[in-house]
Amino acid sequence: MNTNKVSRYKGVYVAMYSAYDDAGRVDTERVKRLARSYAGTGVKGLYVGGSSGEGLLQSVEERKRVVEAVLEEVKGELTVMVHVGANSTPDSVELSRHAEQCGADLISAVPSIYYRLSDAAVERHWQQMIDSTSLPFVIYHIPQTTGFQLSPALFERMARQDKVIGIKMSGESTYELQQFKDIGGEDFLVFNGPDEQFLAGRIMGADGGIGGTYGVMPELFCSLNRLFEEGRLDEAQQLQVRINRIIRSLVGYPSLYGACKYMLELRGIETGIPRGPLLSVAPEHHEPLAALNREILALTNEYASSR
């Protein structure tokens, strides 16, 4: 594996939200404005069509429109990793090929969900995506939602392939993260998934992170990453604690994505409400979220001024 080729993908990626119009249809202009809002924040790139992007709640054609809009807006400015996982292998392959045609930098996928699949079934599912393009592939491991526990044996087989360059590790164990890094090797990328454990993941070997709450505080996660890279671990730990207080507030609402999207609306970035069955924000939550939004902006300014 070419170390320099892989290392250029390290860093902080926003797991980008969906963007709909007022009728709940994908709105490509809103998608573009959202993507544009992250350029210049310090993030390495965008993870498009994953959990935070509601990819599995959209049709194949909707997902394609989102990817096209993102790449039209920020291609060449931000690294774009497209989640192409779908329940059926043919849909996943179609999305993979489309991502490459549009100029995406990498593709990534969860295993198919709902059915309880064997290692062999998941391996075949992923392999067909990998073989369908020339793009690097990043495994997406999130067993608490997919119901699939990636075994060390399957992971090792996948990681031996040149095009499989990393894993988005959204499981809750930093020990498991460290084991993936150990098995994959120094040149294999591991992205921390749980936002609350960004610093712990980096300490245990992660090369960066991909997260949903990054979308309302990208600069804070970039600051956290910078403090880690500079060896200022006490300060990094203090910032992670402050970030986690914000996350604890966010997950206390009926819809995390609804809460995050409402805060973006307060900043003038319209993304619509989440697609059902995900909930939108209730009116009684508007003022508490406005206060939380002010807290995030103040903390962002604090760390920006302390650089």
Side-chain angles (χ1 to χ4, degrees):
M1 186 179 295
N2 186 320
T3 303
N4 291 331
K5 183 177 179 180
V6 172
S7 64
R8 69 189 178 99
Y9 297 122
K10 295 180 179 181
V12 174
Y13 290 74
V14 172
M16 188 172 153
Y17 307 127
S18 59
Y20 305 117
D21 64 19
D22 295 341
R25 299 166 298 205
V26 167
D27 186 323
T28 55
E29 289 307 309
R30 286 183 172 183
V31 170
K32 289 179 180 180
R33 285 195 291 272
L34 179 59
R36 172 55 50 196
S37 73
Y38 296 122
T41 62
V43 300
K44 177 68 176 179
L46 302 175
Y47 189 90
V48 180
S51 306
S52 301
E54 303 173 30
L56 293 174
L57 298 179
Q58 297 172 351
S59 70
V60 168
E61 291 308 313
E62 286 178 315
R63 293 173 70 173
K64 287 180 178 180
R65 291 179 65 206
V66 171
V67 170
E68 289 165 7
V70 170
L71 285 162
E72 284 174 17
E73 186 65 28
V74 297
K75 181 180 177 182
E77 291 183 66
L78 296 175
T79 300
V80 177
M81 192 182 315
V82 178
H83 176 254
V84 297
N87 270 351
S88 80
T89 303
D91 284 352
S92 301
V93 168
E94 183 178 346
L95 288 164
S96 300
R97 290 173 174 160
H98 175 262
E100 182 172 40
Q101 290 164 3
C102 291
D105 297 285
L106 310 97
I107 56 173
S108 177
V110 293
S112 178
I113 61 174
Y114 182 77
Y115 294 101
R116 292 198 174 275
L117 300 175
S118 65
D119 278 14
V122 171
E123 184 172 12
R124 185 173 183 272
H125 181 62
W126 277 335
Q127 195 63 52
Q128 290 191 45
M129 294 177 232
I130 294 164
D131 292 342
S132 70
T133 81
S134 62
L135 294 177
F137 183 84
V138 174
I139 296 166
Y140 186 177
H141 177 56
I142 183 167
Q144 61 269 37
T145 60
T146 63
F148 180 78
Q149 182 60 46
L150 179 61
S151 69
L154 174 56
F155 173 72
E156 188 168 7
R157 288 199 300 275
M158 300 299 297
R160 282 201 296 263
Q161 300 187 51
D162 284 343
K163 282 197 287 185
V164 181
I165 67 165
I167 183 169
K168 181 182 186 293
M169 167 45 190
S170 293
E172 296 172 350
S173 168
T174 51
Y175 169 72
E176 187 178 30
L177 181 151
Q178 181 270 320
Q179 290 297 292
F180 285 142
K181 186 66 176 178
D182 192 46
I183 293 169
E186 188 60 32
D187 298 333
F188 190 87
L189 297 175
V190 175
F191 294 99
N192 181 79
D195 302 5
E196 307 89 332
Q197 299 178 178
F198 180 90
L199 179 59
R202 289 289 270 135
I203 289 171
M204 294 305 291
D207 300 287
I210 302 170
T213 66
Y214 299 12
V216 292
M217 43 185 167
E219 295 93 345
L220 290 180
F221 277 94
C222 289
S223 292
L224 181 56
N225 191 56
R226 173 177 53 82
L227 290 171
F228 168 78
E229 291 184 338
E230 293 175 356
R232 298 158 64 184
L233 295 185
D234 287 345
E235 294 172 76
Q237 191 266 346
Q238 292 169 20
L239 178 54
Q240 181 76 76
V241 168
R242 297 177 77 177
I243 286 173
N244 285 359
R245 288 174 184 150
I246 293 168
I247 294 174
R248 185 174 63 199
S249 295
L250 284 170
V251 299
Y253 290 94
S255 170
L256 168 63
Y257 303 129
C260 290
K261 294 175 80 170
Y262 180 72
M263 284 199 290
L264 289 179
E265 181 182 339
L266 293 175
R267 302 174 195 177
I269 305 170
E270 297 282 352
T271 60
I273 64 173
R275 175 161 292 177
L278 299 177
L279 298 173
S280 57
V281 171
E284 61 265 28
H285 296 146
H286 288 182
E287 182 47 43
L289 281 169
L292 185 61
N293 183 57
R294 291 192 292 270
E295 180 183 339
I296 291 172
L297 296 178
L299 189 58
T300 298
N301 288 333
E302 177 185 334
Y303 275 85
S305 63
S306 66
R307 288 199 62 174

